[in-house]
Amino acid sequence: MVEAGHARSALERASLLDLAPGARVAVLVRQGAELQGESLARAEERLMARLQAVGGTLSRIEPAMDEDLLEAFERQAAQDAPELVIIAREPRGRLTRLLGDTPEKLARHGRVPVLVTRLPAEAPYRRVLVGIDYSENAREALELALRLTPPEAGPLDVLHCYDTSYALVLHQEGASAKQMVDYYRRRASEADAGLRAFLQPYRDQGTDLHALVRSGDPQAELEHAVREQETELLVVGKHGGHGLMHALLGSVAEACLRRAECDVLVVPQAVSRH
């Protein structure tokens, strides 16, 4: 569900993606929105031309003004089977800060990858960062990022954030300074080896990947890496979540949607099965 100005932004970004053969793209548009204007028409024409060149299709989801967005999305998605949903970031009011806006709700409940645009769509993505936790969901996120990134973009940044919270237990149990240092070094070494092993199959195929290993809070480290690497697109997997706290606070992926200063692609679990 996108206002006219937002629809233009989403279409412009979609037209710049490195689309795979047979790609299916859906654009969410609020029913009754004015989808006119020369710049919007050009963006839609560019996207259609790109999709036609790869044998792809474009679908437009237009829920009624009084229709629940998620219900409309699920209904249309079941019919068109889109591989990617693109939606621009909306202005946020007080209520949406608490309960989540349209992109966050789609990312939370949807079964299709959601690309939320924030930056002007002026060129294909060149600086892409993928958050990795070694899960199958993370592998799907990495592979989708590779599909959407042009080969000439250069190395893809891949960040893994590891946990060192057990250090607090060691400290409370009276661990020596040497034991603490050994623990931190061991965790760093394990994380580095784990990321190398995770990425090796892609490197064996000649994929250019830049590995980043950090310790601490994943959300904070992703935000820091986005600024440090001048990231244009952040790609994160979304794990399932339940309960009141998740409903209010959401996952790391949803937090990135709220706070990241770049476009964000959220990849749900097992997208290949939907």
Side-chain angles (χ1 to χ4, degrees):
M1 183 167 61
V2 189
E3 300 289 355
H6 299 140
R8 171 186 167 186
S9 172
L11 286 169
E12 288 176 339
R13 173 49 63 190
S15 69
L16 292 170
L17 293 177
D18 189 35
L19 300 171
R24 300 185 299 274
V25 178
V27 177
L28 297 176
V29 183
R30 185 191 299 273
Q31 189 179 66
E34 287 294 329
L35 295 180
Q36 300 177 3
E38 185 177 348
S39 59
L40 181 61
R42 286 200 303 268
E44 190 164 15
E45 288 173 2
R46 286 195 297 269
L47 176 56
M48 286 300 301
R50 291 289 312 285
L51 285 167
Q52 290 173 359
V54 298
T57 59
L58 172 66
S59 60
R60 186 179 293 168
I61 302 175
E62 301 185 28
M65 294 297 293
D66 59 349
E67 185 177 13
D68 179 79
L69 172 67
L70 295 176
E71 291 181 1
F73 170 75
E74 292 289 352
R75 170 177 50 78
Q76 196 71 27
Q79 175 181 327
D80 295 334
E83 293 184 338
L84 178 67
V85 173
I86 304 172
I87 182 170
R89 190 67 182 175
E90 298 176 331
R92 293 171 60 82
R94 292 182 179 178
L95 186 60
T96 57
R97 290 191 183 97
L98 175 64
L99 299 179
D101 56 13
T102 299
E104 290 170 20
K105 290 177 181 178
L106 281 175
R108 180 179 300 178
H109 301 288
R111 299 181 179 182
V112 177
V114 177
L115 172 58
V116 181
T117 62
R118 182 188 296 269
L119 301 176
E122 299 173 345
Y125 292 122
R126 298 285 179 177
R127 304 301 301 269
V128 179
L129 171 66
V130 185
I132 294 295
D133 63 1
Y134 305 153
S135 66
E136 187 60 30
N137 185 212
R139 191 174 299 281
E140 290 179 337
L142 175 58
E143 292 177 357
L144 183 54
L146 291 171
R147 287 174 54 192
L148 295 178
T149 305
E152 64 273 15
L156 194 76
D157 294 324
V158 181
L159 182 144
H160 172 67
C161 188
Y162 64 95
D163 179 44
T164 57
S165 59
Y166 189 67
L168 179 60
V169 176
L170 293 176
H171 178 72
Q172 292 174 338
E173 292 179 348
S176 66
K178 181 179 183 304
Q179 288 174 318
M180 297 295 293
V181 170
D182 288 344
Y183 167 75
Y184 283 118
R185 286 177 176 172
R186 183 173 66 255
R187 290 294 294 124
S189 177
E190 291 170 349
D192 186 65
L195 185 55
R196 284 202 308 271
F198 186 90
L199 299 180
Q200 195 58 50
Y202 303 96
R203 286 173 167 162
D204 289 343
Q205 298 173 6
T207 304
D208 194 2
L209 300 171
H210 176 218
L212 301 168
V213 179
R214 306 280 173 80
S215 65
D217 176 65
Q219 176 190 336
E221 292 302 325
L222 282 169
E223 291 177 16
H224 177 73
V226 164
R227 293 189 295 270
E228 182 181 70
Q229 303 297 320
E230 299 181 345
T231 298
E232 299 167 346
L233 173 65
L234 171 62
V235 184
V236 288
K238 185 204 72 172
H239 296 289
H242 305 281
L244 177 61
M245 289 305 293
H246 183 269
L248 291 177
L249 301 178
S251 64
V252 170
E254 292 165 37
C256 289
L257 278 179
R258 298 187 192 104
R259 298 172 59 90
E261 300 173 357
C262 64
D263 294 0
V264 179
L265 173 61
V266 177
V267 182
Q269 287 179 304
V271 297
S272 61
R273 295 201 295 268
H274 299 290

